[in-house]
Amino acid sequence: MKKFVNDPKQFVPEMLKGIALANPDTITYVPEYNLIMRADAPNNDKVSIIQGSGSGHEPAHVMVVGPGMLDAACPGDVFAAPPSDYVYQTAKLLASDKGVLLLVNNYTGDKMAFEMAQELAEADGIKAATLFINDDVAVQDSLYTVGRRGVAGNFFVMKAVGAKAEEGAELEEVVRVGELVNSVTRTMGIALTACTPPAKGAPLFDLGDDEIEVGVGIHGEPGRRRAKMVGADEIVDELLGAVVPDLPYRPGDRVALMINGLGGTPISELYLLFGIAAQKLADMGITVARSYVGEYCTSLEMAGASLTLVKLDDEIETLLAAPASVVARIF
Amino acid sequence: MKKFVNDPKQFVPEMLKGIALANPDTITYVPEYNLIMRADAPNNDKVSIIQGSGSGHEPAHVMVVGPGMLDAACPGDVFAAPPSDYVYQTAKLLASDKGVLLLVNNYTGDKMAFEMAQELAEADGIKAATLFINDDVAVQDSLYTVGRRGVAGNFFVMKAVGAKAEEGAELEEVVRVGELVNSVTRTMGIALTACTPPAKGAPLFDLGDDEIEVGVGIHGEPGRRRAKMVGADEIVDELLGAVVPDLPYRPGDRVALMINGLGGTPISELYLLFGIAAQKLADMGITVARSYVGEYCTSLEMAGASLTLVKLDDEIETLLAAPASVVARIF
């Protein structure tokens, strides 16, 4: 294993310490609960937005804490859900008069941790709600889920609820917006390589020199099938062919298009995919009104990419365009 | 080779088309000269800033075009200097009353192309200057240079001259600022893997499963030595041990610290390195006043990182903090 790491068990805390040192004025790191939060949170005039998940998906979620996005992120170890007690402690620290919204990608471990944390928080009198994100069209149930997985499309839910919360909206209204965005967001990814969790020290799965995993999960879980490597045009056809009919997205629709890198793919290749996808969508009569190219939700150093579409209306477009400022400069 | 690519010969144009489609209102792509420029350039009230280099270093330089940074970037093919005629045509398109500044990383091929382009532009009556960037401390002369190479520290020169040009400064003053920043900027990098140019289809060099290249160049050129893989603490010691004494940076100095990813290293590892380096600098009495973590100047999908220090004074700090907006959201 060749990674920039000291003791693999300290990989996540050392990363979090780096985030804190790079953002001393805006971010607070709470080592007891493995927690990154806005230095100015909580704010009783807004709903606090919290997301947690396994680590290894950076910038999601510890690097998207800031005004207009998350108020806090409580990560677990690499590809492991955070302990429910840490989520509970995060909810307590972030408790505001307006309430706390817990965002969760739909994985069984995360779901359990967050549901238990919500119960504990509510027993303390904290107003809380939980919203599950499940944008991945690749498989119905999967290795770690009942139902669809939450992947890079979670960015759009975070962005929308973050913007709505900044407006001072009530918790119910913030939840409505998050559910709306989740309902019109669809994603599928393709892996060109596996990835190596630091504490494991070996690749999560084996992929041949000429093979790709179509519909891969963000923890390297199997997708729809193994296939032979093909050109970028065919890969975009495969991704659009899965994503477009699923909602479906129709001629005349305005969409946000995201090409998300899975960690090891250079941004040059992501823009190449974006150009092909934008052209093919235009040919279908679908207008790309907002563009996102880069790393939003990764799988350590996995080479690969995912494609996300969000069907826009005026409300969603305004929320996505609202100002925001986070650790990783991703929009 | 597993990359998102169609015909490898079309890799760069297809990437540039993607950049243009993702930024339809702010960026113009000129296919004849392989050129990306601000849609609102040239502006006769400011010096036009142009940088070119081989492709494969994205976001440098085609994705850092925008207000406060470059007015145009004219890339060559992957790891190949742009043709001097394309640089000349770029200078003509960007000609402004205030003049044109050509930024060049110090490589023999780029130097020749830009010097010839400057001569041609001046023969047309265009006021032009060229500034060479050479921040890499790893080796004195190298495979492709007489003198030191220009690597990720070029970001700081671009940022400073971009900000100065936005103020409406004269060409000589913009050059002075660029030379000042280059003179206090030092970088060294370490590669964990090689990278594969699309048209070559095979890795540029071989590196053993437990080996690293200390002082690697951004085209995979040899650095100071091959070494065995070590922990992150030791790697930071190696990088600081080369960079700090070179200027030298001294106790009491304020610096910008950049940890730049070489393309295949996840941002989690970059923040881990940042945290270690920031702590070690603090222990030396050197204050990290500005923080940069992410991909600024890459080598395709190479795993690895570089560390850059810039010694700050009030003038440089103000220029680095000035607003800017580019294709890749890197600050």
Side-chain angles (χ1 to χ4, degrees), chain A residues 2 63 74 78 96 111 120 177 187 190 206 272 275-276 278 295 309:
Chain A
K2 288 202 285 190
M63 296 169 195
C74 51
V78 172
S96 94
K111 201 163 185 280
L120 293 167
V177 156
T187 301
I190 284 191
D206 291 316
L272 186 148
I276 297 167
E295 291 178 352
L309 292 180

Side-chain angles (χ1 to χ4, degrees), chain B residues 12 16 29-37 62 73-76 82-93:
Chain B
V12 173
L16 298 180
Y29 166 39
V30 184
E32 304 92 285
Y33 308 124
N34 219 32
L35 153 67
I36 292 281
M37 59 187 278
V62 288
C74 51
S84 62
D85 183 52
Y86 286 14
V87 183
Y88 166 53
Q89 298 292 348
T90 306
K92 273 172 64 172
L93 275 171

Side-chain angles (χ1 to χ4, degrees), chain A residues 1-6 10-11 14-15 17-19 21-24 58-59 63 190 192-193 207-212 229-235 263-276 278-279 291 293 295 300-301 304-305 327-331, chain B residues 1-6 10-11 14-15 17-19 21-24 58-59 63 190 192-193 207-212 229-235 263-276 278-279 291 293 295 300-301 304-305 327-331:
Chain A
M1 177 179 68
K2 288 202 285 190
K3 285 178 179 289
F4 295 119
V5 59
N6 291 309
Q10 297 302 313
F11 181 73
E14 288 196 45
M15 167 185 73
K17 189 180 167 196
I19 293 171
L21 286 171
N23 298 273
E58 293 73 25
M63 296 169 195
I190 284 191
L192 308 191
T193 69
L207 203 55
D209 280 348
D210 60 346
E211 282 184 328
I212 60 177
M229 184 67 200
V230 292
D233 275 331
E234 284 175 76
I235 281 175
T265 288
I267 196 164
S268 49
E269 296 179 42
L270 302 180
Y271 271 99
L272 186 148
L273 291 176
F274 181 91
I276 297 167
Q279 186 63 59
S291 304
V293 188
E295 291 178 352
L300 297 168
E301 81 286 9
V327 170
R329 280 81 174 185
I330 55 175
F331 56 88
Chain B
M1 177 179 68
K2 288 201 285 189
K3 286 179 178 288
F4 295 118
V5 59
N6 291 309
Q10 296 302 314
F11 181 73
E14 289 196 45
M15 167 185 72
K17 188 179 167 196
I19 294 171
L21 285 171
N23 298 273
E58 293 73 25
M63 296 169 195
I190 284 191
L192 307 191
T193 69
L207 202 55
D209 279 348
D210 61 344
E211 281 184 328
I212 59 178
M229 185 67 200
V230 292
D233 274 331
E234 284 174 76
I235 281 175
T265 288
I267 196 165
S268 48
E269 295 179 43
L270 302 180
Y271 271 98
L272 186 147
L273 291 175
F274 182 91
I276 297 168
Q279 187 63 59
S291 304
V293 188
E295 292 178 352
L300 297 167
E301 81 287 9
V327 171
R329 282 80 174 184
I330 55 175
F331 56 90

Side-chain angles (χ1 to χ4, degrees), chain A residues 115-163:
Chain A
E115 284 175 340
M116 190 173 299
Q118 183 182 350
E119 276 181 35
L120 293 167
E122 286 175 337
D124 285 352
I126 297 169
K127 187 174 179 184
T130 303
L131 195 157
F132 295 100
I133 300 161
N134 59 350
D135 56 308
D136 187 355
V137 306
V139 289
Q140 184 49 42
D141 296 327
S142 75
L143 204 56
Y144 304 123
T145 61
V146 177
R148 288 179 162 184
R149 302 173 294 208
V151 290
N154 69 9
F155 168 82
F156 294 101
V157 177
M158 286 190 278
K159 181 71 188 71
V161 300

Side-chain angles (χ1 to χ4, degrees), chain B residues 105-108 139-150 221:
Chain B
N105 286 355
N106 182 40
Y107 296 94
T108 306
V139 289
Q140 185 48 43
D141 296 326
S142 75
L143 205 55
Y144 305 122
T145 61
V146 177
R148 288 179 162 184
R149 303 173 294 208
E221 314 96 284

